[in-house]
Structures are given as structure tokens and as C-alpha cells.
Amino acid sequence: MANKFMLLNLLVSLIIYPVTIYAQTSRLSSEKQQLWLQLSLNFYTVVKEGQVDQDSSLVLVSRKGRLSRWTVITDGFSDDIAKEDNKWIDTRQTRQAVKILGTLHGIDHVKLLVLLGSYYAFQPGYSQNDRDSAQYFLSKAKQESEALHSAFWSNQSLCLLGKNYFKGNQVEKGTKCFTDLINICQRANDKVTEAKAWDYQGTYCPPLPATIMLKINSLAKANILYQQLNKPAKQVNTLTNLAYLAFVLKDIKGAEVNALKALQLENAMAFPYTHYNYDLLSLICKVNGNDDRGTNYGLKAVRASQETKDSIGLGYFYARVADLHYGNKTISAFASYWFKKAVEELSKNGDPAIYRALFNYTSYLNESGKSREAILLLSNTLKTIPPASLVDKQMAYLSIAANYKDINNYRQAEKYFLMADHLSDQDKLITKDFRSAQIKLKIGTFYFEIKQYDKAKSYLQNSLAIPVIKMNEPITFSAANWMLFKIDSLQGNYESAAKHLLQYVTYYKKIVELNDAKNIAGMKIQLEMTQKEKDLQILRAKNALQNQQADNVRKLIYIGVALTFLIIGMIYYRFYINRKNNEKLQAQKDEIDHKNHLLESLLHDKDVLLLSKEWLLKEVHHRVKNNLHTVICLLESQAAYLENDALKAIENSQNRIYAMSLIHQKLYQSEDIKTIDMSVYIPEFVSYLNDSFGTISQIRFELDIQPLRLAVSYAVPLSLIINEAVTNSIKYAFPGKKKGAISITMYQINEQVELIIADNGIGINAHKSGSHSGALGLKLLRGLSEDIKAEISIENVNGTTITLKFKIDEMIYAMA
């Protein structure tokens, strides 16, 4: 029952939550929708510390907000392309777009090329195939736009090519694209496209030590141009990105100035999603030691997030407020309240970042004598939300270690403390030094408490040796010196003890001042929250009464409307049934009349013998199909008593016979008894193979078969070739039930027909693909190819590709 209740809650949250965000975001202009997508994706990328790429973050936030990525993908040229004609972007049906592309010419052809290129350039992750597709479409768009003397579309292509190079970490090529584009725009005085070029270069250039200033300078120049062009939404995005970059470079003042400018512009343009910049300002205040002001910003971030129903960052905002009131030795009740809310919110969203808040919250529970509750909470979280990143694992291990320490299981506590420290050595993120210092401090404290002073001293000294700690972590620095003072005193090293005591006293004063400010701010905020909570309770009671009355009225209206629709539906259904019966009777009458007319014609038609011959041929094909089906059934019965190689041979034979059987079935069902429509036959046969092997959820088939009619003499060998190729791919290309795709393409150009069968699996063994192969499948492929005088080639690049080329021999065709 509990599981059902949890499932129901999950379904409700998945349905209701996106609807509430969508109700808010859908009312925004396209310009503000784009800004919301950019701010939320950048926030998500930042809090994940670059472990999620920007384009993957875009997909995530667009789905949560139920907004199309259209405004971001078509930035700068959306007004020139009709969105309603390009819904394939959200359904990801690119084949539909490619088909439309074949019907377009001139500038319309260029526009769709640019759109396809942009779509692939913004695909999530770093797939080489996506980058290659973007390169192909954008290069072709640039070439065609230059031939048509369209500078606008040529510039858009060049800008997106630069982004695509950056996506592949090809910084030099990407920078050259943007340098060329900026020079072109400056000569033409095209400030709009120039601003976009600077913006893209600053946003999408990989964040490396060698490129960080390029990113900052590019965004700064983009911001100046956007200001001249009066584009405040664009300015908000560039200023926010500049603030993030300044913070990374420890230019705290620059980060604050840019974030405040962005916030001022947001308020001026009545943009409600201010929580991302409020949260950034709260973080800046925490670093500056201004916790009172930081708490104010943090609570504003929480309020704006709740009012807009945009909870993408809500769990992080709760944790930020709590962090501002995280004390030296104990966690205040105020901080624990917000840590608990952070844990609940992150748990609801299944976010592995929960372990950062969970560590602090379980520490509070332990300090409050609720170790069992802390252990249960941690145990349940580990089952439902496994740690995903290295940082998440570190925090999970620290939480486990702290719990074992509190129940005096020092052996297990030491084990998990050391596991967390080992992970810190592998940490490559920007904030690694802060985490490493905290972990070493906690391990040193642990060893100190269990009186292993030499180990404690080693870890505490290692913590102090990290340069950023003295400047940015006074609590950590002070605590480490205090314990080193105690250890040196116990060991009789008084000179060293005096030095550590002096360091402790110096930084302890700062901590006292910070804690006093925090406590006063916390008390003020707690009083305000208590009063607001009372006001909210009164307001909720009034709203509940009004809502109850409104619900009763709505229920009556819904019942009336439902009854009305039910009656209308019953009337329409009766009318529909009567109409269908009349149509069926009329169709039967027409068929009888047609057959009577046909019989009369046959009696007097001099070609009656020819028709009889065709009927006879159809009957032959029907009987051949039935006989082949009987053979399949016999093989199926025999297979029940076989195993291993014998069973595989029987199964392979069944598929080959079915391929021929299906051809004869299509012949006797068709008006044309000489040829087979391959665009109908191949999909049906491939569907049979997919069902036969049970790979529907594992392997995706992509078919592109041109309408083409072939005689039996061609159709049978080709069907057997397709059977062998697809069977081999299903069996061997995707070991371990790995997911993949098999594509079949067939088309005719003039007299030549080309058949391509490809998969993206592990590829065929080079030794097996040789001409002297003893493999039955490959021998059949080559033998069947010779039957229709076809050239066959087998390539092994990113999977296996079999290409068959042949010309239709009119003599063979006529004899069929």
C-alpha cells in the first residue's frame, strides 16, 4: 500500500509540477522565455560544477518548464523561419525535416539547412555523430548562402559552426570562425550579429585556464553592444555569466557588481525569475562574510522561486540559506530548519546533490540525540537516490562515517572517512580545495577524539597546508589550529603549541563576530517568519473556505457538462452506426454489381484466356506461400527437439523461408503479379525479424526505402540478403543486450539500384569479412549478390555497413 501511495505521489508531481511551471513560463514573451531558459540552464550547469554540459542542461530545464528549445536554437533568426512548420525540433523527427529539405530550393533550402545545423549543434552531450551532422548542414548552408549572396544566412552558419567547433573542444577552429565573423560584421556595421558572435564565443568557448579571459572579454563586448541595441534581456544573461566567471576568478567585487546590474535590469523589465541572481548574490555575501545581507538575498531567492513555481533550484536555495547560518561546532536550529527543507526538496526531485545538505542535517540530528533517526534517513536515501558524482559520494561517505562515530563504531567510521579522503585526491573540480580541507579537518578531529594524536596531527597539518583555507575558511583554519595546540601541549611541544594558539585566538575573534551577526540575523528572520506564518494560516483558512465553495460550484458545472457530452455522444454514436451500416450495404451492392459486370465482360472478352492465366498464377503463388508456411511450421516443430547449433540452423532456415514466403504472399495479394513493391515488403519483413528475435526495446530500425517495384528474380535474392545482414547485426553487433540502431536504405538512380544495410554496433571481425570466409552467412551474401550481378562491399567503420549496387537486367526482368 505504501509503495502504491509513493507511486501515486510521483505521478501527481510529474503531471502537476510541469503544468504549474508551464502556466507561468508560457505567459512570457519569446524574449523572456529565452532568458529564463538561459538563466536556469547556466545555474544548473554551475551548481553541477561543469559535470553537465550546457546543452544537456538546456534539455533538462526546457522539459521541466515545458518550453520548447526553439528560442535558444533559433537565436537571431527565429523571425525568418515559421515555428509551426518545424515541430520536428521538439519531437526530434529529423528524418521528416530531411525529407522536406529535398523539396526546397534557393533561400528556403538554406534556411532549413541552418535550422538542421543548429539543431545538431545544440544536441545534448558530446556525440561525434551530432557534431558531424551539424558540420555537414552548416557548411552546406554557408556555401549555398554565399552563392545566393545572402550575407545574413552565411553569417548565421559561420556563428553556429564556431559553436560546434567549441563543442568538440576545437578551440582554435572555433575562435577563427568568430574572428572572421566579427570582422565581417564590423565592416558591414552589423551590430546585431556581431553581438551574437561575441556572446556565443564567451558562452560556449570551453572554460580552460588559457581561454577564461577570452570568455570574459567576449561577454563584456557583447554586453556593450546589447546595451547600445537596447536589448535588456540579452544584457541580463551576459551580465549573469560575467558574474559567474568573475566569482571563479575570485574577483568577488566584479561578480557582485555584474550580478546587481543584472538584477536591476530584471526588475526594470518586470522579469519575475530573479531567484538565480539573488542566489548568486547570497553566495557572494557568504564569501564576503556578510551573512545578514546574504540571508536576505537567499530568502528573496526562495520567495521568487516559490512565487514563480520554478523549483529547479529551490533545494539549492534552501541549502544556501542554511549554509549562511552554519556554525563552528554546532548547527543552529535555524540552519537545521533550512537544511531539512533542502533535503526534502532535493529528495522529491531525486537529485543526488541531496548528500551535501543531508550531511549537515544528519549532523544536527546527531547533536540533538537523534542518531537513529539520522541513520534511518541516510539509509533510506542511499537506497532511493544513489550518489552520482564524486562529490556526492564524498558527502555520503562523510555522513556514514559521522553516524558510525556517534555510535562508537570507530573501525567503520575510520573506513568511510578514509574513503572520502581518497576521493578528494581524484577531485578535479574548482571547489576541490575547500572540500579537501574540510575532509582532512574532520578526519583529524576524529583521530583526535579517539586519541590517535600522530594521525590527527598529520591530517590537521595537511588541512592547513591548503592555501585557500586561511583566506576563505576562518572556521576551518581556527579549528585546526586549536586541535594542533592541544596535541602539541599533550606531547610537550610547547613552542609549536604557542604558535597554534596564537593563530586560533586571532581567527577566533573573527568567528565570534561572524556568529554574533548570524545569530542576530537569525533571530530577526525567525520572528519575521513566525509572524508571516500566522498571517499565512489566517489567509489559508479564508482561501480554503472560498476554494471549497468554488469547488462545489465547479463540480456541479462539470457534472452538467459531462452529462451533456454523454448524451451528445450517445446520439452521435447511434448516427455513426447507422451511417456505417448503410455504407457497408451500399459497398456490398456496388461490389455485386461490379462482379456481375465483370462476369458479363469475361463472357464476351477475347482476352479471357489471359485473365485465366493471371488467376492461375495467383493461385500458384498462393499455394507456394502456403507450402512454404507449412515448411516453416515443420521446422518450428523440429526445433522443439533440437538445441545449440542445430537449433540455430533451424531458426536461420525459418527466417530465410519466411522471406520467400512473404514475397509470394505479396504477389498473390497484388494486382500486379509480376513485381513486388519493396517499400511495402521490406518494412513488413524487418518487423517480422524484430518480433522473431524479441529486440523491439533493444534495437531501433531506421528505414528509408524508395518506392521501387522489382521482379521475383531480384526480390528473392535481395530479401535473403537483408535477412542475413539484419540477422547477423541482431545476433552479434550488440553484445550484452546493448542498445543500438540498424538502418536500411534503398533507392534507384537512373538504372542503378543501391541497397545499404548498416548498424552502429561493435563491427564485424575483419577476418570474417574476407573473401575466403567460411561463414555461411557471408557466403550466402556473396552468392546471392552474384545471382543478380551485384557489387557488394562490407565496411567496418563505427559499426558494419553492407552496400549492394546492381543494375536491372531487362532480359532477366522480362523472363520473370
Side-chain angles (χ1 to χ4, degrees):
M1 186 67 184
N3 290 336
K4 290 182 179 179
F5 182 71
M6 289 175 64
L7 180 60
L8 180 61
N9 278 339
L10 177 61
L11 290 172
V12 169
S13 66
L14 288 173
I15 295 169
I16 301 298
Y17 169 69
V19 171
T20 56
I21 295 183
Y22 175 69
Q24 298 286 331
T25 55
S26 62
R27 290 197 290 265
L28 298 174
S29 65
S30 59
E31 180 185 50
K32 290 182 179 179
Q33 285 183 19
Q34 181 185 5
L35 177 58
W36 178 81
L37 287 169
Q38 289 173 326
L39 290 178
S40 53
L41 81 87
N42 286 331
F43 169 81
Y44 193 78
T45 305
V46 168
V47 296
K48 293 299 179 181
E49 298 189 53
Q51 296 177 85
V52 179
D53 65 282
Q54 290 167 297
D55 296 326
S56 295
S57 295
L58 173 60
V59 171
L60 183 141
V61 300
S62 66
R63 285 176 179 170
K64 281 200 175 252
R66 293 188 65 192
L67 283 182
S68 170
R69 292 181 296 157
W70 175 267
T71 56
V72 177
I73 291 176
T74 61
D75 182 25
F77 58 87
S78 59
D79 293 340
D80 297 272
I81 298 180
K83 182 179 180 181
E84 59 272 12
D85 297 334
N86 294 282
K87 294 180 179 178
W88 56 267
I89 282 184
D90 294 316
T91 59
R92 307 184 76 174
Q93 298 294 325
T94 51
R95 289 183 61 193
Q96 176 186 349
V98 173
K99 285 182 180 179
I100 296 171
L101 188 65
T103 66
L104 301 177
H105 304 282
I107 202 66
D108 291 332
H109 191 260
V110 171
K111 290 179 182 180
L112 190 49
L113 282 172
V114 173
L115 187 57
L116 278 163
S118 185
Y119 170 83
Y120 280 109
F122 278 92
Q123 280 294 86
Y126 301 98
S127 166
Q128 182 66 45
N129 288 337
D130 289 337
R131 298 203 306 272
D132 289 345
S133 297
Q135 180 76 21
Y136 169 78
F137 287 117
L138 293 171
S139 298
K140 196 168 180 61
K142 187 173 185 301
Q143 181 183 4
E144 290 186 15
S145 58
E146 287 174 350
L148 293 169
H149 305 291
S150 174
F152 176 81
W153 290 107
S154 175
N155 291 342
Q156 298 299 325
S157 304
L158 189 56
C159 187
L160 289 164
L161 277 169
K163 179 198 182 304
N164 195 51
Y165 280 128
F166 283 156
K167 192 180 181 77
N169 211 31
Q170 296 174 287
V171 176
E172 188 175 343
K173 288 185 177 181
T175 305
K176 185 180 184 308
C177 284
F178 286 112
T179 301
D180 292 344
L181 177 57
I182 289 165
N183 290 334
I184 291 169
C185 293
Q186 288 177 346
R187 286 195 297 269
N189 196 28
D190 181 2
K191 290 186 177 182
V192 174
T193 310
E194 183 188 351
K196 179 181 176 180
W198 287 117
D199 191 352
Y200 270 46
Q201 181 166 252
T203 300
Y204 298 111
C205 184
L208 307 170
T211 62
I212 197 75
M213 291 311 301
L214 173 65
K215 290 174 69 69
I216 290 174
N217 292 334
S218 297
L219 288 170
K221 289 177 181 178
N223 182 60
I224 292 170
L225 288 170
Y226 285 141
Q227 185 176 11
Q228 294 173 2
L229 295 166
N230 192 26
K231 292 183 177 291
K234 294 287 189 182
Q235 275 190 270
V236 169
N237 185 49
T238 53
L239 286 167
T240 305
N241 285 335
L242 281 168
Y244 283 132
L245 289 171
F247 188 86
V248 169
L249 292 179
K250 298 182 175 57
D251 178 12
I252 306 303
K253 183 62 178 177
E256 184 177 16
V257 168
N258 285 312
L260 285 171
K261 285 181 180 177
L263 184 62
Q264 184 179 6
L265 286 169
E266 286 176 332
N267 291 326
M269 60 188 289
F271 183 70
Y273 297 86
T274 52
H275 33 281
Y276 298 113
N277 272 300
Y278 275 131
D279 177 69
L280 178 53
L281 286 166
S282 179
L283 174 62
I284 291 168
C285 289
K286 175 177 171 57
V287 173
N288 282 333
N290 193 340
D291 293 343
D292 191 3
R293 189 177 173 200
T295 302
N296 185 37
Y297 281 134
L299 292 173
K300 285 183 177 180
V302 169
R303 186 160 53 249
S305 177
Q306 291 173 335
E307 288 176 353
T308 57
K309 296 183 173 59
D310 173 15
S311 62
I312 289 172
L314 186 56
Y316 299 91
F317 302 155
Y318 288 148
R320 184 84 70 212
V321 174
D323 280 335
L324 286 156
H325 292 266
Y326 180 63
N328 181 14
K329 296 181 179 179
T330 60
I331 300 175
S332 69
F334 180 83
S336 71
Y337 168 81
W338 290 102
F339 277 132
K340 182 180 180 182
K341 288 184 74 67
V343 167
E344 291 171 348
E345 183 66 27
L346 293 168
S347 176
K348 183 171 66 177
N349 296 328
D351 193 334
I354 188 175
Y355 290 99
R356 308 181 197 190
L358 193 60
F359 172 79
N360 292 311
Y361 182 58
T362 53
S363 297
Y364 172 76
L365 292 176
N366 288 330
E367 291 169 7
S368 305
K370 300 177 180 178
S371 296
R372 291 186 179 277
E373 184 180 338
I375 293 171
L376 181 61
L377 175 60
L378 185 60
S379 175
N380 291 336
T381 306
L382 286 168
K383 291 176 183 177
T384 56
I385 310 173
S389 69
L390 185 144
V391 175
D392 298 332
K393 290 178 183 178
Q394 282 180 317
M395 302 311 294
Y397 291 156
L398 287 174
S399 298
I400 296 169
N403 280 292
Y404 276 126
K405 181 173 74 69
D406 286 336
I407 60 174
N408 300 325
N409 189 340
Y410 299 131
R411 184 177 178 182
Q412 286 296 320
E414 181 182 28
K415 172 186 171 183
Y416 282 101
F417 273 131
L418 294 178
M419 287 171 65
D421 185 51
H422 176 70
L423 287 178
S424 68
D425 295 334
Q426 305 170 30
D427 197 343
K428 304 297 182 185
L429 301 178
I430 295 171
T431 54
K432 63 180 180 179
D433 288 341
F434 294 98
R435 275 189 297 275
S436 180
Q438 290 286 343
I439 291 171
K440 294 183 190 309
L441 174 64
K442 291 182 185 301
I443 296 175
T445 305
F446 166 72
Y447 281 129
F448 177 81
E449 290 175 356
I450 63 174
K451 296 181 173 54
Q452 294 187 25
Y453 298 125
D454 288 337
K455 288 184 178 180
K457 189 172 184 178
S458 174
Y459 276 97
L460 292 169
Q461 287 174 338
N462 288 337
S463 176
L464 290 176
I466 298 173
V468 298
I469 300 308
K470 186 173 182 180
M471 295 176 58
N472 300 302
E473 290 290 319
I475 295 176
T476 302
F477 189 78
S478 177
N481 275 292
W482 175 248
M483 276 185 285
L484 284 168
F485 158 71
K486 288 184 176 181
I487 293 171
D488 285 338
S489 298
L490 289 169
Q491 293 179 340
N493 191 351
Y494 300 115
E495 184 179 352
S496 176
K499 290 179 181 179
H500 288 302
L501 180 60
L502 179 61
Q503 292 283 359
Y504 167 73
V505 170
T506 302
Y507 281 86
Y508 184 74
K509 291 179 180 178
K510 294 182 180 180
I511 295 168
V512 170
E513 292 171 0
L514 287 172
N515 285 338
D516 288 343
K518 287 180 183 179
N519 291 333
I520 293 170
M523 291 171 63
K524 288 180 180 178
I525 294 165
Q526 192 67 51
L527 288 171
E528 291 176 4
M529 289 178 62
T530 303
Q531 186 58 46
K532 287 180 179 178
E533 189 65 32
K534 290 179 180 178
D535 295 340
L536 281 172
Q537 288 176 356
I538 296 171
L539 184 60
R540 284 181 191 136
K542 291 180 180 178
N543 288 337
L545 182 60
Q546 293 175 353
N547 290 337
Q548 184 62 44
Q549 294 172 346
D551 284 342
N552 292 336
V553 173
R554 277 197 297 270
K555 286 177 183 177
L556 290 173
I557 294 172
Y558 290 155
I559 292 170
V561 171
L563 287 172
T564 303
F565 276 111
L566 180 62
I567 294 169
I568 293 172
M570 293 174 64
I571 295 171
Y572 177 77
Y573 179 73
R574 176 50 55 191
F575 166 76
Y576 175 79
I577 294 298
N578 290 337
R579 189 179 69 179
K580 281 292 181 183
N581 289 337
N582 291 335
E583 289 176 354
K584 188 182 292 186
L585 289 171
Q586 184 62 42
Q588 290 175 348
K589 179 179 179 300
D590 292 342
E591 186 178 357
I592 292 170
D593 292 342
H594 175 70
K595 288 183 178 179
N596 287 337
H597 178 71
L598 183 61
L599 287 171
E600 291 175 1
S601 300
L602 287 174
L603 290 173
H604 304 285
D605 196 341
K606 62 181 180 180
D607 295 326
V608 68
L609 292 176
L610 180 61
L611 289 173
S612 299
K613 178 183 175 182
E614 290 182 353
W615 287 345
L616 182 60
L617 282 172
K618 283 192 175 185
E619 183 63 18
V620 168
H621 284 305
H622 190 187
R623 290 182 181 275
V624 169
K625 179 260 179 185
N626 286 344
N627 290 338
L628 289 173
H629 185 68
T630 301
V631 173
I632 293 173
C633 293
L634 291 171
L635 289 173
E636 195 169 298
S637 300
Q638 185 65 38
Y641 301 94
L642 298 175
E643 58 184 13
N644 299 331
D645 293 340
L647 177 60
K648 291 179 181 178
I650 291 294
E651 290 173 347
N652 290 339
S653 299
Q654 282 182 302
N655 292 340
R656 293 165 184 152
I657 294 169
Y658 181 83
M660 295 184 288
S661 170
L662 186 60
I663 286 176
H664 287 286
Q665 178 181 331
K666 293 299 179 187
L667 285 170
Y668 79 74
Q669 288 178 346
S670 172
E671 292 295 325
D672 180 3
I673 61 173
K674 291 184 178 181
T675 61
I676 299 292
D677 187 347
M678 301 304 286
S679 66
V680 175
Y681 170 79
I682 291 176
E684 185 172 343
F685 180 55
V686 168
S687 177
Y688 163 77
L689 289 177
N690 204 3
D691 291 339
S692 176
F693 285 97
T695 57
I696 295 175
S697 61
Q698 177 195 353
I699 298 175
R700 183 179 74 259
F701 281 89
E702 299 174 352
L703 306 180
D704 188 3
I705 313 299
Q706 187 184 83
L708 175 65
R709 302 194 72 89
L710 294 178
V712 179
S713 55
Y714 284 89
V716 171
L718 286 172
S719 67
L720 294 174
I721 287 170
I722 292 170
N723 174 70
E724 296 305 317
V726 172
T727 299
N728 283 340
S729 291
I730 291 174
K731 286 182 175 180
Y732 308 114
F734 309 102
K737 295 187 178 180
K738 178 183 177 185
K739 292 192 177 183
I742 300 175
S743 65
I744 302 177
T745 306
M746 187 174 187
Y747 57 88
Q748 180 178 4
I749 300 176
N750 297 328
E751 296 179 357
Q752 181 164 291
V753 178
E754 186 166 342
L755 171 65
I756 303 170
I757 307 167
D759 65 61
N760 61 353
I762 62 173
I764 192 171
N765 190 314
H767 298 293
K768 290 186 177 181
S769 61
S771 58
H772 301 291
S773 170
L776 177 59
L778 292 173
K779 280 187 175 181
L780 282 173
L781 286 177
R782 299 186 187 283
L784 292 166
S785 301
E786 291 175 1
D787 289 346
I788 58 175
K789 299 179 180 179
E791 296 176 6
I792 184 170
S793 64
I794 302 175
E795 296 180 3
N796 192 7
V797 180
N798 296 326
T800 302
T801 301
I802 299 173
T803 305
L804 205 73
K805 297 180 181 179
F806 63 92
K807 290 185 178 180
I808 297 176
D809 190 330
E810 295 297 328
M811 292 295 294
I812 297 176
Y813 205 89
M815 293 171 63

